[in-house]
Amino acid sequence: MINGFIVDIHNETGIEYEIPMFLNFPLPVGFTIMSHNSNYDYQSLHLMAKSQGFKGSGFKTTFTTKVKIFNKNQIQEIEIENFHTDTKIVIDGFENYISIVIPPFAKGLFQLMPYFE
């Protein structure tokens, strides 16, 4: 599994969206998610989630948001301003994923913090 990631998120619309990371979900027009400092777009990251998976120990953002963690049949809802730690997260492109509410006109970073065993 890939241990953590950082993505740039740009919502250039005036609409708040809830985006499931990284499922087979078409991003709305005016919305981009790219890996930070590389050329991986949302579809590339989705394929990585399906083939290798991501794991982390929490997350941090540069904007206030709501996050839902889907772990098979369990859902945990969290509202964060900057950091949320001490939650093991697995993203597999299928039934384990996180869903992030992105405010209108938001531009910032979302980081899945590395998990250390």
Side-chain angles (χ1 to χ4, degrees):
M1 294 197 102
I2 299 169
N3 197 1
F5 59 75
I6 301 174
V7 292
D8 291 306
I9 298 175
H10 293 233
N11 179 359
E12 297 178 4
T13 74
I15 302 169
E16 177 179 271
Y17 281 103
E18 183 173 346
I19 305 294
M21 309 276 284
F22 294 104
L23 293 177
N24 190 16
F25 176 83
L27 291 178
V29 173
F31 209 99
T32 57
I33 296 176
M34 299 282 297
S35 61
H36 190 63
N37 295 331
S38 71
N39 292 325
Y40 294 117
D41 64 5
Y42 185 80
Q43 290 302 323
S44 299
L45 294 164
H46 172 235
L47 292 173
M48 292 169 87
K50 286 174 48 178
S51 64
Q52 299 176 54
F54 294 101
K55 68 179 178 179
S57 62
F59 36 82
K60 71 178 188 174
T61 69
T62 57
F63 46 84
T64 300
T65 190
K66 295 176 186 170
V67 177
K68 295 178 187 169
I69 302 170
F70 292 82
N71 186 358
K72 298 186 181 176
N73 294 326
Q74 298 178 344
I75 302 171
Q76 180 182 4
E77 295 186 46
I78 302 162
E79 187 163 343
I80 64 168
E81 290 185 34
N82 292 75
F83 288 98
H84 174 79
T85 57
D86 300 327
T87 300
K88 185 172 181 183
I89 298 168
V90 173
I91 299 173
D92 65 7
F94 300 103
E95 61 186 352
N96 297 306
Y97 63 98
I98 56 178
S99 182
I100 306 168
V101 174
I102 309 299
F105 302 111
K107 292 183 181 180
L109 300 175
F110 183 90
Q111 180 179 10
L112 181 66
M113 305 296 286
Y115 181 79
F116 299 104
E117 297 184 65

